[in-house]
Amino acid sequence: MTFPAIAVVGGTGNLGAAIAWRLARAGYPVTIGSRNAESAEKAAAELGHGMRAGANVDVVANADIIIVTVPFAAQEATLRDIAPHVVGKLVVDTTVPLVPPKVMRVQLPDEGSAAQKAQAVLGEGVTLVSAFHNVAAHKLAKDIDVGCDVLVFGDDKDARGRIVALADAMGLRGLHGGALVNSAAAEALTSILIFMNKTYKVDGAGIRITGDLIPPEA
């Protein structure tokens, strides 16, 4: 089996590093990107598993799948930087529109969701999927069963399926969540989970979909 090459943009952050580590450990060729190439190289060395590193605009060039893991405040600038280099590629946006200090309140952007904002910035020449909104990064970074489902959104079913498979490879359960516009639900849920973490003293609440799910036909 040939694994697609993965570039994790913003891979020095908590979520990006955790995703990169999980995928590299599963055998995927992973390259970490950052605004500062030296920071990316340091993170890659610490994470191991043969990861490579470089500046964001460089690591996306040779990747089959690009996973963007930056805070909402940096989303637009980061996407504009890589946009010329990801035309025709599959981009996964993990952005949650948290606006400090009121991160426990849902604050979706005017576009309707961070995913829709990402699509507007990247343009129609990029296949966009959104995912990994509700997974606690500090749990993902450990060799444990996170016990969390990953809802994957996108207008292209095949592209969604590829990211569902990535989530499965990471030891999670990836599930189709429907069209990209539906991403608003998972993005909003993150603020609710943060509230629940504080209210119920939970160490990284996540979501699980109940019922006996029958995987959709390819």
Side-chain angles (χ1 to χ4, degrees), residues 135-160:
V135 184
H138 72 280
K139 286 190 172 182
L140 200 61
K142 300 176 182 177
D143 188 11
I144 60 173
D145 179 5
V146 179
C148 184
D149 289 338
V150 173
L151 299 180
V152 182
F153 307 94
D155 296 333
D156 185 314
K157 181 181 177 182
D158 290 339
R160 286 202 315 263

mmCIF file of all heavy atoms in Angstrom, residues 135-160:
data_model
loop_
_atom_site.group_PDB
_atom_site.id
_atom_site.type_symbol
_atom_site.label_atom_id
_atom_site.label_comp_id
_atom_site.label_asym_id
_atom_site.label_seq_id
_atom_site.Cartn_x
_atom_site.Cartn_y
_atom_site.Cartn_z
ATOM 1 N N VAL A 135 -11.431 17.085 18.887
ATOM 2 C CA VAL A 135 -10.480 16.157 19.503
ATOM 3 C C VAL A 135 -9.509 16.938 20.383
ATOM 4 O O VAL A 135 -8.908 17.914 19.937
ATOM 5 C CB VAL A 135 -9.683 15.385 18.438
ATOM 6 C CG1 VAL A 135 -8.773 14.366 19.088
ATOM 7 C CG2 VAL A 135 -10.635 14.703 17.463
ATOM 8 N N ALA A 136 -9.354 16.518 21.629
ATOM 9 C CA ALA A 136 -8.418 17.174 22.544
ATOM 10 C C ALA A 136 -6.986 16.867 22.122
ATOM 11 O O ALA A 136 -6.567 15.708 22.091
ATOM 12 C CB ALA A 136 -8.664 16.699 23.975
ATOM 13 N N ALA A 137 -6.221 17.913 21.786
ATOM 14 C CA ALA A 137 -4.866 17.719 21.268
ATOM 15 C C ALA A 137 -3.969 17.016 22.274
ATOM 16 O O ALA A 137 -3.152 16.178 21.903
ATOM 17 C CB ALA A 137 -4.266 19.073 20.887
ATOM 18 N N HIS A 138 -4.109 17.335 23.550
ATOM 19 C CA HIS A 138 -3.215 16.732 24.544
ATOM 20 C C HIS A 138 -3.476 15.238 24.702
ATOM 21 O O HIS A 138 -2.576 14.483 25.076
ATOM 22 C CB HIS A 138 -3.345 17.453 25.895
ATOM 23 C CG HIS A 138 -4.620 17.198 26.626
ATOM 24 N ND1 HIS A 138 -5.795 17.854 26.316
ATOM 25 C CD2 HIS A 138 -4.916 16.352 27.651
ATOM 26 C CE1 HIS A 138 -6.760 17.445 27.125
ATOM 27 N NE2 HIS A 138 -6.247 16.529 27.944
ATOM 28 N N LYS A 139 -4.693 14.794 24.392
ATOM 29 C CA LYS A 139 -4.971 13.358 24.413
ATOM 30 C C LYS A 139 -4.454 12.698 23.137
ATOM 31 O O LYS A 139 -3.917 11.590 23.162
ATOM 32 C CB LYS A 139 -6.477 13.108 24.555
ATOM 33 C CG LYS A 139 -7.017 13.370 25.943
ATOM 34 C CD LYS A 139 -8.444 12.879 26.060
ATOM 35 C CE LYS A 139 -8.948 12.953 27.486
ATOM 36 N NZ LYS A 139 -10.334 12.415 27.616
ATOM 37 N N LEU A 140 -4.621 13.391 22.032
ATOM 38 C CA LEU A 140 -4.169 12.860 20.744
ATOM 39 C C LEU A 140 -2.655 12.662 20.729
ATOM 40 O O LEU A 140 -2.143 11.801 20.016
ATOM 41 C CB LEU A 140 -4.589 13.829 19.633
ATOM 42 C CG LEU A 140 -4.648 13.298 18.201
ATOM 43 C CD1 LEU A 140 -5.654 12.169 18.090
ATOM 44 C CD2 LEU A 140 -5.011 14.432 17.249
ATOM 45 N N ALA A 141 -1.949 13.445 21.540
ATOM 46 C CA ALA A 141 -0.492 13.382 21.572
ATOM 47 C C ALA A 141 0.034 12.230 22.420
ATOM 48 O O ALA A 141 1.250 12.028 22.488
ATOM 49 C CB ALA A 141 0.066 14.701 22.101
ATOM 50 N N LYS A 142 -0.861 11.480 23.066
ATOM 51 C CA LYS A 142 -0.446 10.364 23.913
ATOM 52 C C LYS A 142 -0.810 9.035 23.261
ATOM 53 O O LYS A 142 -1.733 8.960 22.455
ATOM 54 C CB LYS A 142 -1.116 10.464 25.287
ATOM 55 C CG LYS A 142 -0.776 11.728 26.054
ATOM 56 C CD LYS A 142 -1.561 11.791 27.358
ATOM 57 C CE LYS A 142 -1.279 13.075 28.120
ATOM 58 N NZ LYS A 142 -2.090 13.169 29.358
ATOM 59 N N ASP A 143 -0.118 7.994 23.650
ATOM 60 C CA ASP A 143 -0.379 6.654 23.131
ATOM 61 C C ASP A 143 -1.519 6.026 23.929
ATOM 62 O O ASP A 143 -1.326 5.090 24.702
ATOM 63 C CB ASP A 143 0.884 5.798 23.234
ATOM 64 C CG ASP A 143 0.723 4.458 22.526
ATOM 65 O OD1 ASP A 143 -0.272 4.294 21.786
ATOM 66 O OD2 ASP A 143 1.573 3.576 22.731
ATOM 67 N N ILE A 144 -2.714 6.588 23.735
ATOM 68 C CA ILE A 144 -3.906 6.124 24.448
ATOM 69 C C ILE A 144 -5.076 6.069 23.478
ATOM 70 O O ILE A 144 -5.025 6.626 22.378
ATOM 71 C CB ILE A 144 -4.279 7.059 25.621
ATOM 72 C CG1 ILE A 144 -4.568 8.493 25.104
ATOM 73 C CG2 ILE A 144 -3.177 7.079 26.678
ATOM 74 C CD1 ILE A 144 -5.103 9.444 26.155
ATOM 75 N N ASP A 145 -6.145 5.389 23.908
ATOM 76 C CA ASP A 145 -7.389 5.400 23.150
ATOM 77 C C ASP A 145 -8.117 6.688 23.497
ATOM 78 O O ASP A 145 -8.581 6.875 24.627
ATOM 79 C CB ASP A 145 -8.241 4.187 23.530
ATOM 80 C CG ASP A 145 -9.579 4.152 22.784
ATOM 81 O OD1 ASP A 145 -9.794 5.018 21.911
ATOM 82 O OD2 ASP A 145 -10.401 3.262 23.089
ATOM 83 N N VAL A 146 -8.191 7.595 22.546
ATOM 84 C CA VAL A 146 -8.799 8.898 22.804
ATOM 85 C C VAL A 146 -10.301 8.772 23.024
ATOM 86 O O VAL A 146 -10.911 9.561 23.741
ATOM 87 C CB VAL A 146 -8.499 9.864 21.638
ATOM 88 C CG1 VAL A 146 -9.150 11.224 21.870
ATOM 89 C CG2 VAL A 146 -6.991 10.036 21.483
ATOM 90 N N GLY A 147 -10.927 7.770 22.404
ATOM 91 C CA GLY A 147 -12.356 7.567 22.598
ATOM 92 C C GLY A 147 -13.200 8.687 22.018
ATOM 93 O O GLY A 147 -14.174 9.124 22.628
ATOM 94 N N CYS A 148 -12.821 9.167 20.829
ATOM 95 C CA CYS A 148 -13.520 10.311 20.230
ATOM 96 C C CYS A 148 -13.749 10.066 18.739
ATOM 97 O O CYS A 148 -12.874 9.531 18.047
ATOM 98 C CB CYS A 148 -12.689 11.574 20.424
ATOM 99 S SG CYS A 148 -13.467 13.085 19.835
ATOM 100 N N ASP A 149 -14.924 10.426 18.275
ATOM 101 C CA ASP A 149 -15.216 10.368 16.842
ATOM 102 C C ASP A 149 -14.761 11.656 16.167
ATOM 103 O O ASP A 149 -14.730 12.718 16.791
ATOM 104 C CB ASP A 149 -16.719 10.188 16.601
ATOM 105 C CG ASP A 149 -17.215 8.801 16.994
ATOM 106 O OD1 ASP A 149 -16.393 7.866 17.046
ATOM 107 O OD2 ASP A 149 -18.428 8.659 17.256
ATOM 108 N N VAL A 150 -14.428 11.544 14.896
ATOM 109 C CA VAL A 150 -14.042 12.710 14.092
ATOM 110 C C VAL A 150 -15.059 12.881 12.978
ATOM 111 O O VAL A 150 -15.191 12.012 12.112
ATOM 112 C CB VAL A 150 -12.632 12.526 13.488
ATOM 113 C CG1 VAL A 150 -12.319 13.660 12.516
ATOM 114 C CG2 VAL A 150 -11.580 12.470 14.593
ATOM 115 N N LEU A 151 -15.792 13.964 13.016
ATOM 116 C CA LEU A 151 -16.755 14.263 11.963
ATOM 117 C C LEU A 151 -16.031 14.979 10.823
ATOM 118 O O LEU A 151 -15.309 15.951 11.049
ATOM 119 C CB LEU A 151 -17.886 15.143 12.501
ATOM 120 C CG LEU A 151 -18.717 14.523 13.639
ATOM 121 C CD1 LEU A 151 -19.812 15.488 14.081
ATOM 122 C CD2 LEU A 151 -19.326 13.197 13.209
ATOM 123 N N VAL A 152 -16.236 14.475 9.608
ATOM 124 C CA VAL A 152 -15.538 14.987 8.430
ATOM 125 C C VAL A 152 -16.557 15.592 7.475
ATOM 126 O O VAL A 152 -17.544 14.951 7.116
ATOM 127 C CB VAL A 152 -14.752 13.858 7.734
ATOM 128 C CG1 VAL A 152 -13.984 14.408 6.532
ATOM 129 C CG2 VAL A 152 -13.800 13.179 8.715
ATOM 130 N N PHE A 153 -16.293 16.829 7.051
ATOM 131 C CA PHE A 153 -17.241 17.568 6.214
ATOM 132 C C PHE A 153 -16.595 17.966 4.888
ATOM 133 O O PHE A 153 -15.419 18.314 4.838
ATOM 134 C CB PHE A 153 -17.709 18.840 6.936
ATOM 135 C CG PHE A 153 -18.255 18.580 8.311
ATOM 136 C CD1 PHE A 153 -17.434 18.673 9.428
ATOM 137 C CD2 PHE A 153 -19.586 18.226 8.489
ATOM 138 C CE1 PHE A 153 -17.930 18.426 10.700
ATOM 139 C CE2 PHE A 153 -20.093 17.972 9.757
ATOM 140 C CZ PHE A 153 -19.258 18.070 10.871
ATOM 141 N N GLY A 154 -17.383 17.920 3.834
ATOM 142 C CA GLY A 154 -16.884 18.338 2.529
ATOM 143 C C GLY A 154 -17.910 18.050 1.454
ATOM 144 O O GLY A 154 -18.740 17.147 1.604
ATOM 145 N N ASP A 155 -17.850 18.782 0.378
ATOM 146 C CA ASP A 155 -18.815 18.610 -0.707
ATOM 147 C C ASP A 155 -18.441 17.465 -1.645
ATOM 148 O O ASP A 155 -19.249 17.046 -2.460
ATOM 149 C CB ASP A 155 -18.938 19.914 -1.502
ATOM 150 C CG ASP A 155 -19.499 21.050 -0.649
ATOM 151 O OD1 ASP A 155 -20.247 20.757 0.311
ATOM 152 O OD2 ASP A 155 -19.181 22.221 -0.943
ATOM 153 N N ASP A 156 -17.217 16.966 -1.537
ATOM 154 C CA ASP A 156 -16.739 15.856 -2.354
ATOM 155 C C ASP A 156 -16.706 14.599 -1.483
ATOM 156 O O ASP A 156 -15.882 14.490 -0.566
ATOM 157 C CB ASP A 156 -15.342 16.188 -2.896
ATOM 158 C CG ASP A 156 -14.816 15.140 -3.870
ATOM 159 O OD1 ASP A 156 -14.921 13.940 -3.557
ATOM 160 O OD2 ASP A 156 -14.287 15.535 -4.923
ATOM 161 N N LYS A 157 -17.568 13.626 -1.766
ATOM 162 C CA LYS A 157 -17.667 12.427 -0.937
ATOM 163 C C LYS A 157 -16.371 11.633 -0.921
ATOM 164 O O LYS A 157 -15.945 11.120 0.133
ATOM 165 C CB LYS A 157 -18.812 11.540 -1.418
ATOM 166 C CG LYS A 157 -19.008 10.277 -0.587
ATOM 167 C CD LYS A 157 -20.149 9.424 -1.120
ATOM 168 C CE LYS A 157 -20.285 8.118 -0.327
ATOM 169 N NZ LYS A 157 -21.367 7.256 -0.867
ATOM 170 N N ASP A 158 -15.719 11.501 -2.069
ATOM 171 C CA ASP A 158 -14.475 10.739 -2.132
ATOM 172 C C ASP A 158 -13.390 11.398 -1.275
ATOM 173 O O ASP A 158 -12.618 10.717 -0.591
ATOM 174 C CB ASP A 158 -13.991 10.609 -3.575
ATOM 175 C CG ASP A 158 -14.882 9.688 -4.401
ATOM 176 O OD1 ASP A 158 -15.607 8.866 -3.804
ATOM 177 O OD2 ASP A 158 -14.865 9.802 -5.639
ATOM 178 N N ALA A 159 -13.323 12.728 -1.329
ATOM 179 C CA ALA A 159 -12.338 13.453 -0.523
ATOM 180 C C ALA A 159 -12.632 13.268 0.962
ATOM 181 O O ALA A 159 -11.712 13.045 1.761
ATOM 182 C CB ALA A 159 -12.356 14.936 -0.884
ATOM 183 N N ARG A 160 -13.898 13.331 1.324
ATOM 184 C CA ARG A 160 -14.271 13.071 2.723
ATOM 185 C C ARG A 160 -13.811 11.686 3.137
ATOM 186 O O ARG A 160 -13.280 11.494 4.228
ATOM 187 C CB ARG A 160 -15.789 13.165 2.916
ATOM 188 C CG ARG A 160 -16.369 14.543 2.912
ATOM 189 C CD ARG A 160 -17.727 14.562 3.628
ATOM 190 N NE ARG A 160 -18.616 13.473 3.277
ATOM 191 C CZ ARG A 160 -19.592 13.536 2.382
ATOM 192 N NH1 ARG A 160 -19.796 14.657 1.706
ATOM 193 N NH2 ARG A 160 -20.372 12.499 2.152
#
